[in-house]
Amino acid sequence: MANTKAETRTPADRLPISQRIDQRMPNPGRRKMTPTNWAIKGELFLNCSCTVFCPCVVSLGAHPPTEGHCHAWMAIAIDEGHFEGEDLSGLNVGLLVDIPGRMGEGNWKVAAYVDERSTPKAYDGLLKIFSGAAGGTTGLFTMLVSEIIGAEREKVEIVREGKKRGLYIGRKIAGEIEMIDGASPDHPVMVSNSKYWMGPDIIAAQGVKSKVRDYGRIWDFGGKSAEICPIDWKGPKP
């Protein structure tokens, strides 16, 4: 009899969601920042519920999203990276993000999907990085995220081809976006030299076929705002 997906996971990964949250990606009320040596280089891209380009980029999270709330998925492709000496290169992470109002006011609800190819140490390290517990670039998540609704291993497939990007996580997230053409065919529309937390240069994009079905969320971001950003994130300086 073939093994089911649950049977092939390590015992820790078969914990109920509530226990996985407590032990793997603790909620902010029980989480303390422990500065750690880590670094990630690669690309983050996302698709959200804004009907025009996300105002959070230029307002640095102070302006409300165009629909009053922000529903989004995020994809992180790690080209180079490490966590306390453990190699993270080539791994992918997906996030489901539910923000009730202005990004800068917090109260985010987040679910994390970590690459099933990650070692136990890499898996734990990525959850610490994306919960903010490892400090550094993502340390602000300890203040912005009020509830972590899930953290799990998954097959996280990321596609980057020319002007197109895609995130595929089983039947849970199937997102495709495409850069918006600029006046020059080889240079898409972008915001450059910003102080946005993700990075200074944000490429404007648009959802093509983009659906989320998980944790009671049923979202469709086709035709909605999207963005692509090269990232160079680090843990806190010694």
Side-chain angles (χ1 to χ4, degrees):
M1 180 177 177
N3 288 337
T4 65
K5 187 174 183 180
E7 289 171 340
T8 61
R9 291 180 173 180
T10 62
D13 290 328
R14 293 203 302 268
L15 290 171
I17 286 177
S18 60
Q19 293 183 42
R20 276 188 265 146
I21 291 172
D22 288 341
Q23 297 187 20
R24 295 288 188 145
M25 199 171 178
N27 279 303
R30 298 189 296 277
R31 183 171 72 234
K32 293 183 180 180
M33 191 184 301
T34 304
T36 307
N37 181 16
W38 65 272
I40 286 176
K41 288 185 179 181
E43 185 177 82
L44 183 154
F45 58 92
L46 63 86
N47 198 180
C48 72
S49 52
C50 285
T51 54
V52 294
F53 184 65
C54 175
C56 297
V57 174
V58 292
S59 72
L60 305 182
H63 193 283
T66 67
E67 306 310 291
H69 60 262
C70 178
H71 298 158
W73 58 255
M74 297 182 181
I76 300 93
I78 303 172
D79 296 325
E80 302 175 28
H82 68 85
F83 177 85
E84 294 185 330
E86 186 75 8
D87 189 20
L88 303 178
S89 303
L91 297 179
N92 299 325
V93 177
L95 299 176
L96 178 156
V97 183
D98 189 341
I99 305 173
R102 292 179 177 86
M103 177 181 284
E105 291 179 352
N107 294 319
W108 299 18
K109 295 181 180 180
V110 175
Y113 308 91
V114 178
D115 201 316
E116 64 181 2
R117 299 171 297 162
S118 58
T119 65
K121 183 174 180 179
Y123 177 66
D124 287 340
L126 286 167
L127 291 184
K128 288 177 181 176
I129 290 171
F130 286 98
S131 68
T137 306
T138 56
L140 78 167
F141 288 172
T142 59
M143 298 179 288
L144 295 176
V145 178
S146 62
E147 183 179 353
I148 295 165
I149 57 179
E152 56 193 274
R153 283 184 186 274
E154 286 287 355
K155 180 179 180 181
V156 182
E157 183 182 1
I158 287 179
V159 175
R160 294 186 283 172
E161 296 178 348
K163 298 178 181 179
K164 298 181 179 180
R165 300 291 186 273
L167 171 67
Y168 309 94
I169 305 175
R171 296 183 178 181
K172 301 175 180 180
I173 300 178
E176 298 176 4
I177 66 174
E178 188 168 6
M179 298 177 187
I180 296 174
D181 290 336
S184 171
D186 59 351
H187 196 291
V189 174
M190 67 185 301
V191 175
S192 61
N193 195 34
S194 76
K195 293 182 179 180
Y196 198 43
W197 70 272
M198 292 193 320
D201 301 317
I202 309 294
I203 298 171
Q206 189 174 55
V208 182
K209 296 179 181 178
S210 189
K211 295 185 178 182
V212 175
R213 287 180 176 269
D214 205 10
Y215 295 103
R217 277 76 173 171
I218 302 176
W219 298 337
D220 187 341
F221 300 141
K224 301 294 182 68
S225 173
E227 54 200 65
I228 302 165
C229 177
I231 59 173
D232 185 359
W233 296 349
K234 298 179 177 65
K237 296 180 180 179

